[in-house]
């Protein structure tokens, strides 16, 4: 190709070839993969006795730690497109309630002033849907016991919601705003709020009694 025409035609040919490849080859393949993921996730969520919800509720916080939780959005979008409902975010949302409970429990029982400030701030931030300050600033910072309490609360809440058949009809809202995803049905709304509150209370109690590090129980020295 003449050099004078190279800069004009080479990008056009590359874009045209890739566009055709994406539409005629990659598109159908990824569509099959997407449908397969939706089928697998739906089947897993509806495993008897809430086992699927228990596993997802346990795994999701671990995915957040690595940033892999963004992949869940693709599956949620596919679920909404194919079924009109999103049971996945319902289970994953229990992580927010559990993580907030850990932050508030540690800030409530801790005797050190800076921990009280950080814990309360992180807990409020988590209630508004941003989990990283609470996760990395409190839950992971103070050892495995706060992490275990958070994972337990998230898993138990996910299992209960899975058994009760609770599912959102949208995605993108977390913790105190998440009930808006269930206003389409009174049973869904009331049950979701009840389980979310109970998940928060259970995780708070477990953390308060068993997961606050001893060094935080020593008052600041003047």
């Amino acid at each position: 190709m003449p050099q004078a025409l190279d800069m004009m035609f080479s990008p056009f040919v590359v874009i045209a070839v890739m566009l055709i490849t994406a539409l005629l080859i990659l598109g159908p393949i990824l569509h099959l993969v997407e449908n397969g993921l939706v089928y697998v996730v739906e089947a897993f969520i509806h495993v008897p006795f809430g086992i699927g919800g228990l596993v997802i509720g346990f795994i999701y916080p671990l995915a957040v730690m690595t940033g892999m939780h963004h992949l869940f959005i693709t599956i949620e979008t596919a679920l909404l497109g194919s079924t009109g409902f999103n049971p996945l975010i319902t289970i994953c949302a229990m992580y927010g309630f559990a993580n907030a409970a850990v932050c508030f429990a540690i800030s409530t029982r801790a005797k050190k002033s800076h921990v009280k400030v950080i814990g309360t701030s992180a807990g409020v931030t988590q209630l508004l849907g941003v989990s990283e300050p609470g996760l990395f600033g409190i839950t992971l910072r103070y050892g495995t016991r706060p992490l275990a309490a958070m994972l337990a609360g998230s898993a138990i809440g996910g299992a209960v919601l899975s058994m009760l058949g609770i599912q959102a009809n949208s995605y993108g809202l977390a913790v105190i705003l998440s009930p808006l995803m269930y206003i389409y049905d009174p049973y869904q709304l009331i049950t979701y709020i009840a389980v979310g509150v109970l998940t928060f209370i259970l995780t708070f109690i477990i953390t308060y009694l068993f997961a606050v590090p001893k060094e935080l129980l020593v008052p600041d020295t003047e």
Side-chain angles (χ1 to χ4, degrees):
M1 181 178 295
Q3 188 173 1
L5 300 177
D6 184 47
M7 293 190 65
M8 180 184 300
F9 284 98
S10 292
F12 172 77
V13 172
V14 171
I15 292 174
V17 170
M18 293 307 299
L19 182 62
I20 293 172
T21 302
L23 289 175
L24 300 182
I25 299 176
L26 296 179
I29 293 175
L30 292 177
H31 182 65
L32 290 175
V33 172
E34 179 183 279
N35 288 337
L37 285 173
V38 171
Y39 176 80
V40 170
V41 170
E42 280 194 296
F44 192 68
I45 289 174
H46 294 98
V47 171
F49 309 110
I51 296 175
L54 181 77
V55 174
I56 293 174
F58 182 86
I59 291 176
Y60 184 74
L62 303 177
V64 175
M65 296 177 198
T66 61
M68 297 298 290
H69 63 296
H70 294 293
L71 296 175
F72 283 61
I73 297 176
T74 302
I75 302 175
E76 291 173 23
T77 303
L79 283 169
L80 285 168
S82 60
T83 68
F85 295 100
N86 183 5
L88 183 58
I89 196 174
T90 301
I91 297 171
C92 296
M94 292 301 101
Y95 153 67
F97 288 94
N99 196 42
V102 170
C103 294
F104 284 120
I106 290 179
S107 66
T108 299
R109 193 176 180 195
K111 302 299 182 180
K112 298 185 179 297
S113 58
H114 73 281
V115 176
K116 288 183 174 292
V117 173
I118 295 173
T120 302
S121 300
V124 172
T125 303
Q126 174 64 84
L127 291 179
L128 296 175
V130 180
S131 67
E132 284 76 10
L135 180 61
F136 296 106
I138 296 292
T139 304
L140 291 176
R141 181 177 180 179
Y142 294 113
T144 57
R145 287 187 296 173
L147 175 62
M150 183 267 286
L151 291 174
S154 177
I156 293 172
V160 173
L161 288 171
S162 178
M163 285 190 292
L164 297 177
I166 306 304
Q167 52 187 359
N169 66 350
S170 63
Y171 63 87
L173 301 174
V175 197
I176 61 173
L177 295 178
S178 59
L180 294 174
M181 298 186 292
Y182 306 89
I183 58 176
Y184 69 93
D185 181 81
Y187 166 75
Q188 296 280 329
L189 177 63
I190 295 172
T191 305
Y192 176 80
I193 293 175
V195 174
V197 171
L198 290 174
T199 297
F200 180 94
I201 294 173
L202 175 64
T203 309
F204 183 95
I205 293 173
I206 293 174
T207 305
Y208 189 90
L209 295 178
F210 306 109
V212 179
K214 293 181 179 179
E215 61 268 22
L216 300 184
L217 302 178
V218 179
D220 291 323
T221 56
E222 297 182 0

